[in-house]
Amino acid sequence: MIHTPDWVQDAVFYQIFPDRFARSLKAAPLINLEAWDARPTNHGFKGGDLWGVIEHLDYLQDLGVTAIYFTPIFQSAANHRYHTHDYYQVDPILGGDAAFSALLKACHKRKMRVVIDGVFNHASRGFYQFNHILENDSHSPYVDWFHIKGYPLHAYSGKPNYEAWWNIPALPKFNTANPAVREFIFEVAEYWIEQGVDGWRLDVPGEIDDDSFWQEFRRRVKAINKDAYIVGEIWHEAQRWLKGDQFDGVMNYQFTKAAIGFFAGKHMDGGLANDMGYSPVSPMDGGDFGRAILRNLSLYDSPINQAQLNLLDSHDTARFLTIARGDVNALKLATLLQMTYPGAPSIYYGDEIGMAGGKDPDCRRGFSWNESTWDKNLRQYFKDAIALRKTHPALRRGAIGFLLAEGDQVAFVRKLDEAILIVAFNAGASDMEVDISAPASLGITEDMTALGIFNSLGAYPVTNGQLTGVKVPARSGIVLEMTRGK
């Protein structure tokens, strides 16, 4: 039987890129920082830190966030910290171990979970064991920690003569067939779970092409905390890793593709969308969208679907709003889908206030704490959609079934015990009145009425197995709740 952490399906995640979310005066002063509101560069630092996150937990709680996923926090010479120097030290620029310990305590006091990024396929030139080889060539006792093809190492110029992620010299690939390397990684995973983190997001885990590695990783992590969340960065269909013996879920980029294709549709920036790891992305009508979503759901058992991390964008992609060419309604539609769909919604920092950004590094801009720059209407929409999800367990835990998927129209039902909610979308440019099937097999009977509870004031009695003339405004979505009585 597949077991995934029960808390995940109730969670609302918020993804933070630590260098770009918030600066605190409590952090050690830094020099040579990029201006906070300047466009980010590949190598520049803006000086965000974990103390700054602590100081803005009220903001996150007000939004409705219950879990934070942090991109890497460990000591590194890169602003994104995917070049890990020391897996046992939080980067001093972020406030070090003291800031992270305080952050964990503050989050857990608020019943907020913390998931951190594990970069275990590759390390960095500054990682002790690799640096030892740089200094000692073939005499180092760590030569079999990596895939070395010659000496001296070409670590700073020319093609690396060792295996490196995407052939980038700064990212030497671990030799995970080496028992010492495996044990090192497993002990790192155990250590941070023991410190209180609530899970691991695994960077490019498919690059470690070894099921036994991830099976042992899961066993070691779950032995300490059976409810720790293990989510992998897999951009494509992920059946191999989602059988219950490796990951609990993946970053659900198949969901992302469908949301872009249907809600941004013909207006999307196709060149930008297709310059991402989830390419190809094409405009979809309702039928295409329904088929894509049903296929994605059919790939995995229900506990896995309930533990998927459903995102619209991330630090690795252009922002949804930018792909949609600034169409705020497209983002609202996609956000309502996130909040009414099985799995855990994940908000990329700043999406809720209308932050824009093209491909990396532009998608990693500094969060604006000047409220005059916010789209406050959009942020309120996020709050309302999150509150809707929290109020209705059926939207988090219920079964899902499609009722309508054609043209610009999509409607599906979420059902949990006696609770039945219908979510309907109109991706078109004109207001619509649609007829929605109300099958008795779902417990929808002729003595019921659908009442609008989100973006709808309508009341629609069941007549001849249908809800007739349901009003769905242009470029909008609504939620109806089935109640007894006409």
Side-chain angles (χ1 to χ4, degrees):
M1 183 176 178
I2 294 175
H3 172 79
T4 57
D6 188 63
W7 63 267
V8 172
Q9 59 193 308
D10 294 324
V12 176
F13 276 86
Y14 194 85
Q15 181 189 347
I16 291 178
F17 190 94
D19 187 61
R20 308 291 159 78
F21 184 62
R23 272 188 208 152
S24 171
L25 294 176
K26 190 170 184 177
L30 299 169
I31 63 170
N32 199 33
L33 295 176
E34 287 183 348
W36 187 260
D37 58 355
R39 290 291 179 94
T41 62
N42 284 320
H43 298 288
F45 287 78
K46 293 189 180 294
D49 57 73
L50 299 179
W51 296 116
V53 177
I54 294 171
E55 291 166 4
H56 291 92
L57 289 178
D58 284 346
Y59 169 87
L60 296 180
Q61 273 203 305
D62 178 69
L63 186 62
V65 170
T66 65
I68 305 174
Y69 151 46
F70 287 97
T71 56
I73 60 171
F74 301 137
Q75 185 174 297
S76 171
N79 59 39
H80 49 72
R81 296 179 175 83
Y82 283 96
H83 299 32
T84 310
H85 279 201
D86 188 339
Y87 289 85
Y88 285 100
Q89 299 294 327
V90 175
D91 198 309
I93 292 177
L94 296 180
D97 292 353
F100 186 61
S101 177
L103 173 68
L104 272 179
K105 290 177 182 176
C107 287
H108 288 164
K109 184 177 180 180
R110 297 166 183 258
K111 299 188 180 343
M112 297 172 73
R113 311 274 183 161
V114 175
V115 172
I116 60 176
D117 214 316
V119 187
F120 300 131
N121 172 67
H122 51 265
S124 70
R125 290 175 296 213
F127 179 68
Y128 173 76
Q129 286 82 350
F130 188 80
N131 188 256
H132 202 282
I133 304 170
L134 274 174
E135 296 289 342
N136 297 287
D137 287 344
S138 60
H139 303 289
S140 171
Y142 298 110
V143 291
D144 62 348
W145 276 56
F146 300 90
H147 302 272
I148 309 298
K149 300 176 182 178
Y151 300 99
L153 300 185
H154 303 162
Y156 291 95
S157 62
K159 183 178 179 180
N161 52 351
Y162 49 88
E163 288 190 23
W165 188 71
W166 280 26
N167 233 15
I168 300 171
L171 300 175
K173 181 177 172 64
F174 278 121
N175 175 16
T176 52
N178 179 347
V181 173
R182 295 167 80 96
E183 187 61 25
F184 173 83
I185 294 171
F186 297 151
E187 288 180 358
V188 168
E190 291 173 319
Y191 174 81
W192 289 104
I193 296 296
E194 288 168 347
Q195 299 310 301
V197 302
D198 298 291
W200 285 102
R201 179 268 188 185
L202 301 173
D203 183 62
V204 295
E207 299 281 345
I208 300 178
D209 188 15
D210 180 351
D211 291 347
S212 68
F213 179 92
W214 293 119
Q215 288 162 352
E216 179 67 4
F217 183 96
R218 180 185 181 89
R219 188 188 71 77
R220 299 277 286 262
V221 166
K222 298 286 188 176
I224 297 169
N225 179 1
K226 66 180 178 62
D227 287 324
Y229 183 37
I230 302 175
V231 58
E233 181 203 9
I234 303 293
W235 292 70
H236 47 81
E237 295 180 356
Q239 298 95 316
R240 171 181 177 180
W241 298 274
L242 296 180
K243 298 176 181 178
D245 63 344
Q246 296 183 55
F247 311 155
D248 297 310
V250 296
M251 298 180 78
N252 197 357
Y253 282 111
Q254 302 310 299
F255 168 92
T256 312
K257 287 173 60 173
I260 293 171
F262 184 54
F263 297 126
K266 295 177 182 178
H267 305 292
M268 74 178 178
D269 185 330
L272 192 56
N274 282 290
D275 198 19
M276 307 296 162
Y278 44 62
S279 177
V281 184
S282 302
M284 293 181 173
D285 64 13
D288 297 328
F289 174 82
R291 285 185 289 273
I293 289 295
L294 286 173
R295 172 162 179 80
N296 194 30
L297 290 169
S298 72
L299 297 176
Y300 316 113
D301 288 343
S302 179
I304 298 293
N305 285 325
Q306 298 281 17
Q308 296 284 63
L309 193 67
N310 298 327
L311 68 164
L312 300 178
D313 46 19
S314 74
H315 64 292
D316 284 325
T317 74
R319 288 186 180 265
F320 186 98
L321 188 59
T322 299
I323 292 175
R325 301 183 192 272
D327 183 352
V328 173
N329 286 326
L331 178 55
K332 288 182 176 180
L333 283 160
T335 298
L336 182 59
L337 173 67
Q338 271 189 306
M339 300 305 161
T340 57
Y341 187 80
S346 179
I347 301 163
Y348 186 41
Y349 78 97
D351 277 358
E352 75 281 5
I353 59 170
M355 279 182 65
K359 61 180 294 189
D360 167 22
D362 193 43
C363 57
R364 303 171 179 183
R365 300 181 191 181
F367 187 102
S368 174
W369 290 104
N370 177 358
E371 292 189 28
S372 68
T373 67
W374 295 2
D375 183 334
K376 293 182 179 178
N377 177 272
L378 177 61
R379 187 178 185 277
Q380 187 62 49
Y381 189 93
F382 270 74
K383 284 186 64 173
D384 292 345
I386 292 169
L388 175 76
R389 182 177 181 84
K390 289 183 174 181
T391 301
H392 297 279
L395 296 178
R396 308 190 306 272
R397 296 170 173 269
I400 184 171
F402 271 79
L403 305 176
L404 175 66
E406 61 184 31
D408 293 324
Q409 308 162 17
V410 165
F412 57 80
V413 63
R414 299 297 307 276
K415 184 176 188 300
L416 181 67
D417 300 325
E418 299 302 312
I420 303 171
L421 285 89
I422 293 172
V423 185
F425 298 96
N426 172 9
S430 302
D431 295 350
M432 288 185 176
E433 290 190 5
V434 299
D435 298 337
I436 299 174
S437 173
S441 60
L442 292 175
I444 302 175
T445 56
E446 294 287 330
D447 64 341
M448 285 184 166
T449 298
L451 297 178
I453 59 171
F454 187 87
N455 205 31
S456 172
L457 299 175
Y460 305 96
V462 177
T463 305
N464 298 324
Q466 282 196 320
L467 305 175
T468 304
V470 176
K471 296 177 180 178
V472 190
R475 305 293 292 156
S476 187
I478 66 170
V479 181
L480 309 173
E481 182 176 24
M482 301 305 304
T483 62
R484 296 285 175 188
K486 292 286 191 178

